[in-house]
Amino acid sequence: MTDPDCIFCKIVAGEIPQEGVYQDDLVTAFRDIHPVAPTHILIVPNEHLASTNDLTRNHEKLAARMLSVVPKLARHEGIEQSGYRLIMNSGPDGKQEVIHMHLHLIGGQAMRHPIG
Ligand code: AMP
Ligand code: ZN
């Protein structure tokens, strides 16, 4: 299921030139266009889910995959030991701007973040 008007669906489909970081049967990872730190990767479901509110038990494999790719990406970025943040925004108060669920993987120096 894709949304023809959704920017992240277009990235998943390869319709927007992008420095791809990782893709498998369930998720795609690519670099945030406005990075807040040296590593800023977005991990998104290949299928269009608006936010965490769309998750059901049918998505357990997908939700697990979004997390299980993290150590692979962190190793690749060289931030496995130095550390990183995982952030998933949902809805207006969560400051979600792109309405296709995504997990921010943010690592490296000079991080900006509202929480600590
Ligand atoms: P959020 O506030 O959690 O919805 O964050 C959306 C993120 O998507 C922001 O950090 C944007 O910089 C990023 N973003 C928006 N459009 C693109 C794009 N075309 N390619 C990569 N990242 C994008
Ligand atoms: Zn989408």
Side-chain angles (χ1 to χ4, degrees):
M1 268 162 288
T2 59
D3 177 340
D5 297 325
C6 171
I7 186 97
F8 286 0
C9 281
K10 288 181 180 161
I11 289 173
V12 167
E15 291 169 11
I16 296 177
Q18 193 76 209
E19 190 198 343
V21 173
Y22 176 84
Q23 186 166 51
D24 64 26
D25 57 322
L26 292 176
V27 304
T28 298
F30 51 90
R31 294 194 190 278
D32 196 291
I33 203 168
H34 298 304
V36 299
T39 291
H40 189 168
I41 290 170
L42 301 176
I43 303 164
V44 311
N46 291 343
E47 96 176 78
H48 182 85
L49 298 176
S51 75
T52 44
N53 288 336
D54 279 0
L55 288 170
T56 69
R57 292 195 68 156
N58 292 334
H59 297 110
E60 285 176 357
K61 192 173 167 195
L62 164 65
R65 183 71 60 80
M66 288 181 75
L67 280 180
S68 66
V69 298
V70 166
K72 193 193 313 276
L73 295 172
R75 261 194 306 279
H76 183 259
E77 294 293 308
I79 58 170
E80 191 185 22
Q81 299 304 323
S82 51
Y84 49 85
R85 293 179 198 262
L86 296 172
I87 299 166
M88 194 179 276
N89 298 322
S90 189
D93 284 352
K95 308 292 183 203
Q96 183 183 8
E97 289 172 6
V98 177
I99 309 305
H100 179 131
M101 195 174 99
H102 51 279
L103 181 64
H104 297 255
L105 167 58
I106 299 173
Q109 297 289 314
M111 286 194 267
R112 282 187 281 115
H113 188 263
I115 303 169

